[in-house]
Amino acid sequence: MSAAVLTIAVVGAECTGKTSLCRALAQARSGLWVPEYLREFVDTEHRPPMPHEQSQVIVEQIAREEAARQAAAQAGNPLVAVDSTPLATALYSTLYYCDDTLLAAAVERQRRYDLTLVTDTDLPWEPDGVQRDGPQMRAHFHALLLDLMQRHRLPFTLVQGQDDARLATALAALG
């Protein structure tokens, strides 16, 4: 990704504060944030994506990231915070549909972010519509995500604690 606009990936399991952290980062650094397209899909369709729709979710998420980066560059914003990435969608596709065909491209895409923040599962789990599975699945996905990040040597910073602590960790990682 471009040096002019830092692109920060915020990934994690469901209900781990990704959206709150993205908003806080964008506000703290006069940047933009890209909402998670998967959440919009679920809200609009009233269901999770089917196996054949997973790649479409990834394509749309990437398109929105690129549009935000262009808008940030034109406006002179120094940062774009991305609420989830194709890596999460690909990992969910593997977990739910036993389909790992999206994983290799998602891993390579993940390498392009300037910084990856992984949100920990230390916040209380809250049900939030169709998309939420529960605290056990959240913990399982988190473990799979950490394992995937480590196996593929994808650098990341783990953010923990309440909102202020998470933002402080993220800002420190930005330098």
Side-chain angles (χ1 to χ4, degrees):
M1 302 271 169
S2 159
V5 175
L6 291 176
T7 306
I8 313 306
V10 180
V11 294
E14 67 181 23
C15 199
T16 57
K18 296 180 302 290
T19 301
S20 296
L21 182 56
C22 283
R23 285 180 178 149
L25 270 172
Q27 182 177 14
R29 286 292 178 98
S30 301
L32 303 177
W33 73 281
V34 179
E36 180 182 24
Y37 175 66
L38 174 60
R39 180 182 292 254
E40 181 181 325
F41 180 96
V42 170
D43 288 346
T44 302
E45 300 295 323
H46 307 290
R47 63 173 175 77
M50 306 286 275
H52 69 278
E53 296 169 316
Q54 294 288 88
S55 62
Q56 296 166 359
V57 168
I58 288 174
V59 166
E60 183 61 27
Q61 182 70 34
I62 290 171
R64 290 176 181 206
E65 289 175 21
E66 294 302 323
R69 288 189 73 254
Q70 289 176 3
Q74 290 175 351
N77 297 111
L79 175 140
V80 171
V82 178
D83 185 349
S84 206
T85 69
L87 187 67
T89 303
L91 188 56
Y92 275 118
S93 193
T94 300
L95 179 62
Y96 292 126
Y97 304 121
C98 299
D99 177 8
D100 65 357
T101 59
L102 303 172
L103 214 47
V107 166
E108 289 312 306
R109 174 80 185 176
Q110 194 67 36
R111 295 185 195 289
R112 298 179 63 201
Y113 296 100
D114 297 302
L115 175 67
T116 296
L117 304 171
V118 174
T119 52
D120 203 355
T121 58
D122 57 344
L123 295 177
W125 183 85
E126 296 177 19
D128 185 15
V130 182
Q131 184 175 349
R132 302 293 186 211
D133 287 327
Q136 294 80 16
M137 184 58 82
R138 178 176 79 161
H140 181 60
F141 181 86
H142 181 72
L144 291 174
L145 177 62
L146 291 179
D147 178 66
L148 179 72
M149 298 289 288
Q150 292 163 352
R151 262 189 302 118
H152 290 279
R153 293 181 169 83
L154 295 168
F156 67 93
T157 299
L158 185 66
V159 292
Q160 300 173 303
Q162 296 302 310
D163 292 344
D164 291 344
R166 287 169 180 248
L167 180 58
T169 300
L171 292 173
L174 278 169

